[in-house]
Amino acid sequence: MLSWLAVAVLVIVVTTAVVVKLLARRRAPDPGWFIDSTRAAGALTVIGTMFAVLLAFTIFYALQNYQRARDGGTMEAISVTELHNVADVLEGHTGTRLHGDLICYSRAVISQEWPAMERGESSATVQNWVDTMAADFEATNPTNAKQEAAYGQWFDQQAQRRDGRRARSAEAAPSVPPPLWIVLGIGAAAILSYMCVQADRRESAVIQAVPIAFVSALVTSALLVVAFLDHPYDDWSGSLQPDQMRVTLRLIDDGHAAPCDARGDPTT
């Protein structure tokens, strides 16, 4: 849905910029509003350079946050798989408590927390399974050296799972501050406005329309990329999905009894 909206925004901005430029060309005096065209071009270069530098840093910053969210989800999914293997040692492959908790946790992350992150929120159901998992682990009593080693490994994998969840959850809220968006908007508007007032009726309509069409398309696309990276869980084409956790769930949901339904809601 958002992908089509982005395309519509791009088309509207480019069309508006071209129409305004051609209207300005029709009303422009001969040879234009600027007496010194070289000085006018130099001012546009300064504005464009400042905007390009700011936009580049913003994209780099948003891209880092996007990658952090993706890496966090991957780390969390891998640690849940490892916790499942540790649970095999601690309570045996036929055990139900820790295995069931991990299955329910994975289901809740996929079905509940991912949609919640799209709204900038987290899932209370996922946190409930975290607490349940901790309580069930405390009731575990290692009886041999192998289980004692697995007992210590559980803490390490839980720390990785917690860090992974925290990393992906932290990016649910937009990270680019509103003042930066305002500055980017002012810069984009300044560039397009300056190009419009440089209209010259001595040139053909096509020659006047092509440069501003390309510039407006590039500027708008870059701002849409920032919006995409700043909202990694929204309904964009290419947004982050719980694919790694789905893979993990297929691996660990191997017939163990789970005290939850398909969405991860407790059934007992």
Side-chain angles (χ1 to χ4, degrees):
M1 179 62 182
L2 288 179
S3 299
W4 287 107
L5 180 60
V7 172
V9 169
L10 179 62
V11 172
I12 291 172
V13 171
V14 173
T15 302
T16 302
V18 170
V19 170
V20 172
K21 180 67 177 286
L22 294 181
L23 289 176
R25 170 184 171 273
R26 181 179 300 178
R27 291 169 172 79
D30 190 5
W33 280 296
F34 292 102
I35 299 176
D36 189 344
S37 59
T38 303
R39 183 175 59 186
L44 180 60
T45 300
V46 172
I47 296 173
T49 301
M50 293 177 62
F51 176 76
V53 171
L54 179 61
L55 182 61
F57 277 111
T58 305
I59 291 177
F60 179 72
Y61 172 73
L63 180 60
Q64 283 187 318
N65 294 331
Y66 179 89
Q67 291 176 330
R68 190 178 300 113
R70 182 185 60 188
D71 294 344
T74 301
M75 180 193 302
E76 179 188 31
I78 293 174
S79 63
V80 170
T81 304
E82 294 302 317
L83 286 169
H84 175 77
N85 296 331
V86 174
D88 279 344
V89 178
L90 289 175
E91 61 179 12
H93 186 67
T94 58
T96 59
R97 290 184 304 175
L98 295 178
H99 289 91
D101 294 342
L102 290 167
I103 293 172
C104 293
Y105 175 87
S106 302
R107 291 176 180 176
V109 167
I110 295 170
S111 301
Q112 299 194 40
E113 188 149 68
W114 224 267
M117 288 192 300
E118 186 176 340
R119 304 187 299 270
E121 304 170 356
S122 59
S123 170
T125 303
V126 172
Q127 185 58 45
N128 173 68
W129 288 117
V130 172
D131 298 337
T132 301
M133 208 184 314
D136 289 341
F137 176 72
E138 288 180 1
T140 303
N141 184 27
T143 58
N144 53 51
K146 184 178 181 180
Q147 289 188 344
E148 288 178 356
Y151 192 87
Q153 187 179 3
W154 178 274
F155 288 103
D156 296 336
Q157 294 302 324
Q158 276 286 28
Q160 296 229 1
R161 180 206 58 76
R162 181 175 59 251
D163 291 343
R165 184 190 178 207
R166 184 177 300 161
R168 64 168 173 78
S169 298
E171 306 308 325
S175 56
V176 177
L180 185 54
W181 277 111
I182 293 174
V183 174
L184 289 173
I186 292 174
I191 292 173
L192 298 181
S193 299
Y194 208 92
M195 291 188 69
C196 287
V197 297
Q198 282 189 316
D200 190 343
R201 65 190 309 168
R202 294 173 300 176
E203 293 182 336
S204 68
V206 174
I207 296 301
Q208 289 281 284
V210 169
I212 196 169
F214 286 165
V215 171
S216 59
L218 183 60
V219 169
T220 305
S221 299
L223 293 177
L224 289 173
V225 168
V226 174
F228 164 73
L229 296 174
D230 199 35
H231 299 79
Y233 305 110
D234 283 4
D235 188 21
W236 299 87
S237 176
S239 61
L240 296 180
Q241 300 295 327
D243 296 329
Q244 295 298 324
M245 189 60 78
R246 290 192 182 102
V247 173
T248 291
L249 183 59
R250 287 197 294 269
L251 292 174
I252 69 176
D253 195 0
D254 52 1
H256 287 94
C260 62
D261 59 19
R263 296 186 70 254
D265 290 315
T267 56
T268 56

